[in-house]
Amino acid sequence: MRSSALKLAQSITTKPLNLQEASASLLPPKPLFRRLLRTHRYLPTEMRSLGDDYVKSEFRRHKEVTNPVHIIGFLSQWKRYLDELPTGVDGKSFSGKRLDPTVFEKMSPEQLGQLYELMHATKDVWKPVSKE
């Protein structure tokens, strides 16, 4: 019992990245891209529009990447995002999720700039429409 508790307490980051294990649970880029766009259909219209545009631009931006570690990281993060998205009726009431504070610490200045731009883009989308 004690040894299993110690194994559970170990951080997953202490082990080196095994590309074969990581790639086993990943989807290839095109099926992942299609599944993301299909899952966005269940989101509210404004969120779907923003999400579709963002997914398309990110996949275009990473089209020419050849480093296997970057590819695995890219695909695994999009797969994780896909797994967290609601499907079916639950999607229409989806309002997003808070970003984990530890993620901020790991971001590069360029990533923080992109996040800042995304924050302003979403504020424009979600402005309440005044009825006149």
Side-chain angles (χ1 to χ4, degrees), residues 33-82:
F33 177 76
R34 290 180 187 133
R35 196 176 290 183
L36 284 164
L37 295 180
R38 278 191 208 112
T39 307
H40 281 176
R41 292 178 189 166
Y42 300 109
L43 295 175
T45 308
E46 297 86 5
M47 288 181 84
R48 177 183 177 183
S49 171
L50 182 67
D52 286 353
D53 291 344
Y54 189 70
V55 168
K56 289 173 186 176
S57 70
E58 283 296 303
F59 272 79
R60 259 188 238 114
R61 219 177 271 149
H62 290 82
K63 192 175 186 177
E64 303 299 323
V65 174
T66 57
N67 185 336
V69 175
H70 290 179
I71 294 169
I72 296 291
F74 179 79
L75 296 175
S76 63
Q77 287 302 314
W78 278 110
K79 176 71 167 83
R80 193 169 136 208
Y81 167 74
L82 177 66

Side-chain angles (χ1 to χ4, degrees), residues 5-39:
L6 287 175
K7 286 181 183 178
L8 290 173
Q10 289 179 346
S11 173
I12 59 171
T13 58
T14 59
K15 298 177 184 176
L17 178 64
N18 184 344
L19 294 179
Q20 290 179 340
E21 287 179 16
S23 64
S25 65
L26 296 177
L27 292 171
K30 283 186 181 181
L32 178 62
F33 177 76
R34 290 180 187 133
R35 196 176 290 183
L36 284 164
L37 295 180
R38 278 191 208 112
T39 307

